[in-house]
Each structure stands twice: as C-alpha cells, then as structure tokens.
Amino acid sequence: MNFENSLRFAKKLDKTDPLKSFRQKFHLPKIGGKRTLYFTGNSLGLQPKSTRSFLNQELSDWAALGVEGHLHAKHPWLYYHKFSKKTLAGLVGAKPLEVVAMNQLTVNLHLMMTSFYQPTPTRFKILTEAGAFSSDQYAFEAQLKIHNINPEEGLIELNPRHGEHTLRTEDILNAIEKHSDQLALVIFGAVQYYSGQFFNIKAITEAGHRAGAHVGFDLAHAIGNVPLSLHKHEVDFAVWCSYKYLNAGPGGIAGAFVHEKHANNTNLVRLAGWWGHHEKDRFQMKKGFIAMPGADGWQVSNFPILSGAAQLASLQLFEEAGIKNLRKKSVLLTGFLEFLLKSIEKNSEYFIIITNSNADERGCQLSILMRKDGKKVFTSLTKAGVLADWREPNVIRVAPVPLYNTFEEVFQFVEIFRRSISTTKASDRSKRSDA
Ligand SMILES: Cc1ncc(COP(=O)(O)O)c(C=O)c1O
C-alpha cells in the first residue's frame, strides 16, 4: 500500500478497517482521567469487556455448587482445559491433541526440556539466539546443570553479524549445520522479545532435525500475533504465555504444544502429575503413571479455572476476528508505523528501527533503538500519555495490536515521538550553551 503521512489518511484507514468494531470490545486504559495511547499489548494485553462475565459464571457456579462444580458447573471444571483447545490449536497451527493450556511459560519450558533435552556425552549442546528472554536463559542454564553440563560449554548463543541487529536465517542454518554432531536441542523465541524478529520456524526446524536435534520455540511474542503452523513444520514442542497478545490477564494461564508424533511416546521422560494421568482412572489414586495421549499427558496439576475463564473470553474474540484477518490488519498497521517513523528517521542521530523491514520477518512490534537520550525521550512519551515500553539497555518497543489499536493512534504516536525528540534536542542544546 502507498501510505500517506497525514491524519486524514490514518482516519481513512480506520474507516475502512473491517476489524474496527473489535476495539469497542476492550477496556481502554485511562491514566489521570486521560485516554492513553496503549502500545504495550506485547507486555500485557488489554481486558476484553466480556472477561468479567466469563469470570462471574465460574464464581457463581462455585458459590452455588461448591465442589459439585467439577462436574455440574455450566463449564464443568474437570474438563476445563479442553474448552480452549480448538482456538489455541488454530492460533498455533496444530491439532487439538497437540495443545494444552497449563501453568506459566517458564514452568512449561522446564517440563518440555525435561522431555526433549536428553543429552548424551557427545550430543549435549543447546543452540539458541543470544539475548534470549532472561527466564529462558535461566531455564537453559538450570537444565544444563541438572545434567552436570557446564553452561559455558553446553550453550551456543548466536549473535547477529557485526553492525547488524537481527540474525540472518542463513547464519542460523549454517551454525546448526556446523554444530550438528553435538546438538541435542535447538530452541528460539519465535518472535524475539527485544528485536521483534520473527524467525523462520520452518527452516530452523528442518535444519535442527537434519542435525539430529529436537527443536522447540518460545511463542510468548508470537501466539496471537502471527499465524503459526507448528504441526505442518514438525516443530517438536513450543510454549507460550497468554497475558500478552492473548489478553488473558496478568499472570494468565500459559500453554504448550507437543507434536502429534510424540503424542503416545511413553519413553519420553516427564515430570508427571495426576492431571496428566489417564482421565478415566485419575481418581483411582493408584500407583503407576499412565500418560494421557498428546499434550494433555504433560499436565501436572489441576486446572486454574478463574485464569482459564479469563482466557476463554479473549479466545472467543480471536475466533470471531480470525488470526489471518488480524495478521492482514497488523501488517498494515505496523507498516504504517514504520513508514511514519522512517520519515523522521533519516539521518537521525537519535534512533534507528532495528526490527526487520520485511513484514514476513516480524510481528506487530517495532523496536526503536535509541542512540541518544533514550530514557529522556521515553519519559517524555510517557508524560504525553503514551504507554510503550523500555527494554534495557536502549530500546523502546512499540506494538500496535490489530484487535484494539487504530491507524490514528499510530499517527498520533509518531507525532508525539517526533516532538519528544525535538524537545530533548532543544533542552540538550540549551544545556550546552549554558555550560
Ligand atoms: C519471551 C518470554 N519468555 C518467557 C517469559 C516468562 O514468562 P512466565 O513468567 O510466564 O514464565 C516472558 C515474559 O514476558 C517472555 O517474554
């Protein structure tokens, strides 16, 4: 699309947006009584207005039925993990058997790594992107230590080339091939939390498998943001959280994907618990764990109903909107943001966009690397009512979310960003002349 740098054009895009009605279905935050420009759906998604009634249903059933709610609630609690399967499967490109909502992301990462990271004396290395999210780094380190492997030796972290900010797919594939004799696991954040890069899941998975390793992905920034095809691409496992693009609320229930080819593999070591045990005799309380088929067999504890209810509210909106339609809008929305930022980026001593410029290699987030006065500009944005986020050491992440952000908001954001830089520049200049 040929974008134009004008408010009139932004309004025109909003008017013709087929998904525009979805914004009304969310609570839009106000700070100090003033509506914010909310661009942090990559950190905490907004609350659907329907969430309260989903929660109220379970609170009412709990009040009315007590323990009987397990079988007789409107949505019987015993089977609650099943109610989100269809939509979650659609979002990650999986069969319902392959997905389950459970726990939190890092817990699921440990559960998956317990099964899919089984090093041998010769094949023991984990290959990942450098600068992975801290919690993932801690999990990798811990898993290596569990197997008495020095993390310095066991972890291969890939850095972008000198002067570049994102990884080239060819470099990832070459590294996998280079270390193929020693690799036990290849694992990437599907959409990198800092740079916003959307990695090539298909190519990485194929290369990892050619090398003889298992391949997994952290989908924290990918699920609900970009369409995925985990089953087709034969990814072994994936984990995600639901408080970002899935709008399931702070600390919302996470999830996991295990490929169908592992569905009945009882040889895989796992950290078992009663909710993963075969449903038909779970309450027999007998010795001897028998895993449920598919991802359900990795469940450990019983399901957190209130958290799951909040997730169902948002998943219903994804069903209505459709991830492909959302992605179509998202490409436009982020493309517009990039176009406007580029109009002020030229020769800017203040910032560059480090997220890939090819829409296929990013989700909705753009990461703006501040070369100068980053914190000052960020503070000025916040004062002007923009909720974006700051990631150390010097990145402002901006995520226009197609379910609730508008083209007009993107236009307003870039205007405020431009003004914040000008004000910072002017105050720097006056300080220098005072000195
Ligand atoms: C990429 C990534 N991985 C892991 C986590 C940690 O998630 P949790 O607290 O659910 O374990 C986050 C949290 O924001 C994340 O962004």
Side-chain angles (χ1 to χ4, degrees), residues 18-63:
L19 298 176
K20 62 176 178 242
S21 61
F22 282 90
R23 179 175 167 84
Q24 313 307 324
K25 297 176 192 270
F26 286 86
H27 290 289
L28 305 169
K30 286 186 178 162
I31 291 181
K34 223 180 121 208
R35 169 109 346 122
T36 58
L37 289 180
Y38 195 83
F39 286 113
T40 43
N42 56 345
S43 185
L44 183 71
L46 292 182
Q47 185 188 135
K49 288 179 181 164
S50 55
T51 304
R52 205 173 286 270
S53 68
F54 275 74
L55 284 170
N56 279 341
Q57 177 68 51
E58 302 316 325
L59 291 174
S60 302
D61 284 348
W62 178 21

Side-chain angles (χ1 to χ4, degrees), residues 104-106 133 135-136 193 218 220-221 241 243-244:
Q104 296 295 334
L105 188 155
T106 315
F133 192 83
S135 202
D136 297 32
Y193 87 97
D218 173 342
H221 289 264
C241 53
Y243 41 82
K244 301 178 189 295

Side-chain angles (χ1 to χ4, degrees), residues 297-327:
W298 270 265
Q299 294 176 101
V300 178
S301 296
N302 78 95
F303 193 86
I305 303 301
L306 298 180
S307 190
Q311 176 175 250
L312 287 183
S314 174
L315 291 184
Q316 190 177 62
L317 299 181
F318 277 93
E319 278 291 331
E320 287 169 22
I323 187 68
K324 290 209 171 109
N325 300 327
L326 286 165
R327 174 63 171 164

